Amino acid sequence: MSSEKLTWNVDATGLRVAVVVARFNYEITSRLLAGALAALKQAGAADADIKVVHVPGAFELPVAAKALAASFDAVVALGAVVRGDTPHFDYVAGEAARGIQQASLETLKPIAFGVLTTETMQQALERAGGTSTKTDAGDLTLNKGFDAANTAIEMAHLLNGIRSKA
């Protein structure tokens, strides 16, 4: 039995990555998108290897992510679901999570979950880079879009490594 270790790798050079972002709560999701794009650029992704697709809301993320996974090494799914006074939050957040996981499992492609599920808009803003205006993404150490893009890159390398060793 081999004990070869697959290591953490966030080098996006040569990877094709799609980012699917919900328009609903766009003041938050636009910051998540800026964070994801910043991560991809920092990791060496070429502009030609990045595709951004917008969907109406978080509920629509899974189907778009699954379609994109057919042509890309990894997908980053970004959205923001903020609790309101109705049970709508529970349905949308849960189904978005389930659908994204199902799409990833069915395609065997990494689809990083960058969907915020918060109680308030303030909490969502904090997880989308905070109130810092350093960049459109805010403070990248607080931006979950940045984290999701790095997760997508890492998982693309991990899965490619597993496939090449099989």
Side-chain angles (χ1 to χ4, degrees), residues 15 27 41 43 46 48 60 85 88 91 98-99 102 107 111 115 121 123-125 138 140-142 148 156 164 166:
L15 290 179
E27 75 177 82
K41 296 307 290 180
E60 291 76 28
D85 294 330
H88 182 77
Y91 297 112
R98 186 192 61 75
Q102 181 180 345
T107 62
I111 302 174
V115 180
M121 285 298 281
Q123 289 174 343
L125 181 63
L140 293 177
T141 64
L142 302 174
S164 72

Side-chain angles (χ1 to χ4, degrees), residues 18-22 33 51-55 57 60-66 68 75-79 100 111-112 114:
V19 181
V20 57
V21 58
L33 174 59
K51 181 172 187 74
V52 176
V53 174
H54 296 269
V55 296
E60 291 76 28
L61 290 169
V63 69
K66 184 176 180 180
L68 290 163
V75 178
V76 181
L78 303 174
I100 289 168
I111 302 174

Side-chain angles (χ1 to χ4, degrees), residues 20-163:
V20 57
V21 58
R23 287 190 308 267
F24 196 80
N25 288 324
Y26 198 68
E27 75 177 82
I28 301 299
T29 63
S30 64
R31 293 171 63 93
L32 295 172
L33 174 59
L37 294 175
L40 293 171
K41 296 307 290 180
Q42 267 186 22
D47 288 340
D49 290 334
I50 301 169
K51 181 172 187 74
V52 176
V53 174
H54 296 269
V55 296
F59 195 81
E60 291 76 28
L61 290 169
V63 69
K66 184 176 180 180
L68 290 163
S71 303
F72 289 85
D73 297 302
V75 178
V76 181
L78 303 174
V81 185
V82 179
R83 187 176 298 280
D85 294 330
T86 68
H88 182 77
F89 170 92
D90 298 313
Y91 297 112
V92 173
E95 290 305 308
R98 186 192 61 75
I100 289 168
Q101 180 186 37
Q102 181 180 345
S104 186
L105 291 170
E106 288 176 2
T107 62
L108 291 178
K109 293 282 183 83
I111 302 174
F113 187 76
V115 180
L116 302 180
T117 54
T118 62
E119 296 293 323
T120 67
M121 285 298 281
Q122 182 60 37
Q123 289 174 343
L125 181 63
E126 290 167 6
R127 288 163 181 76
T131 57
S132 169
T133 57
K134 293 178 188 175
T135 69
D136 291 340
D139 182 343
L140 293 177
T141 64
L142 302 174
N143 190 304
K144 298 305 179 187
F146 186 88
D147 292 346
N150 281 324
T151 296
I153 296 165
E154 181 180 354
M155 288 302 296
H157 286 295
L158 176 70
L159 293 174
N160 288 341
I162 290 169
R163 287 181 193 109

